[in-house]
Amino acid sequence: MSADLGPAETKRRKRRSVWELALLTVAMFGFGFAMVPLYNALCELTGLNGRDKGMQIVASVQEQPDLNREVTVQFLTVVNGGREWVFKPAVSEMKVHPGQLYTVNFVAENQLDQDVVGQAVPAVTPGKAARHLKKTECFCFNQQPFKAREAKDMPVRFMLDPELPADVHTVTLSYTFFDVTELAQRSAKPNG
């Protein structure tokens, strides 16, 4: 069929194809660029992946335990990038009463022969439980410097709000530990 087209029509179709490909390329780039903000907005809106701005950091809490209700809280840890660190909870789970303050320790050890700085990022599942988790103390609030071969016990003080939905029987609190040594060194250098 292309043999029936004249040179002008063939040239016009090629030009149109080039423009369509260019537009498609720009649209794909724009979509790729927008994916992270769109994903973050979706997570905040739905509580997906435990990313809920409702997760509360508080100076203190008023304890009013609901002794008629017990929720299992599981603790998970991951070291990002396969670094040579030990990072684990002292207990893998505990039974808690909503409205009561609890402390759980996490153990971290730098197994390298050099100083490092780590930062833990929390996530809560199910997502709807995140807004009912109140922390008064957490190693995740700040970067954690470690000397070579240093080990630390790092506490988390938390309470599940008594308003936690009744259909939530298990809450998982997980932390991913990242090596932020370079970032900490850059931010420590004076601008000049």
Side-chain angles (χ1 to χ4, degrees):
M1 191 175 248
S2 62
D4 298 343
L5 300 177
E9 181 64 19
T10 302
K11 187 174 182 180
R12 186 185 70 75
R13 286 190 177 188
K14 284 182 182 180
R15 189 177 304 133
R16 180 180 173 156
S17 293
V18 167
W19 278 107
E20 286 173 351
L21 288 173
L23 182 61
L24 181 63
T25 302
V26 169
M28 287 172 40
F29 177 76
F31 182 72
F33 185 73
M35 283 300 294
V36 172
L38 288 173
Y39 176 76
N40 288 336
L42 178 67
C43 288
E44 288 174 21
L45 180 66
T46 64
L48 180 69
N49 205 20
R51 292 181 176 194
D52 185 299
K53 284 193 172 178
M55 190 184 317
Q56 298 181 27
I57 301 168
V58 293
S60 64
V61 293
Q62 186 73 26
E63 288 187 83
Q64 294 181 337
D66 178 355
L67 299 178
N68 296 317
R69 184 169 177 208
E70 200 170 66
V71 177
T72 301
V73 179
Q74 300 173 329
F75 305 101
L76 302 175
T77 58
V78 174
V79 175
N80 188 53
R83 301 295 287 171
E84 294 183 38
W85 294 345
V86 170
F87 179 49
K88 61 185 178 183
V91 296
S92 61
E93 70 178 39
M94 63 187 341
K95 303 279 187 193
V96 304
H97 296 288
Q100 188 168 337
L101 192 61
Y102 293 89
T103 301
V104 63
N105 284 312
F106 288 74
V107 177
E109 180 183 349
N110 172 15
Q111 296 183 321
L112 300 172
D113 291 323
Q114 63 190 40
D115 296 354
V116 296
V117 178
Q119 176 76 53
V121 175
V124 179
T125 54
K128 65 182 175 180
R131 71 188 67 193
H132 299 284
L133 177 68
K134 297 179 179 181
K135 295 182 188 177
T136 61
E137 180 181 348
C138 183
F139 58 89
C140 64
F141 295 165
N142 302 302
Q143 293 179 347
Q144 300 293 324
F146 288 84
K147 298 287 185 197
R149 302 284 176 184
E150 180 182 14
K152 293 182 183 183
D153 284 333
M154 303 183 303
V156 174
R157 289 186 54 79
F158 71 96
M159 180 178 83
L160 291 176
D161 190 302
E163 301 298 318
L164 179 71
D167 65 335
V168 176
H169 305 289
T170 303
V171 174
T172 302
L173 178 57
S174 63
Y175 291 96
T176 302
F177 215 59
F178 291 89
D179 182 350
V180 295
T181 306
E182 290 181 24
L183 178 66
Q185 291 170 345
R186 280 194 303 253
S187 63
K189 289 182 182 177
N191 293 335

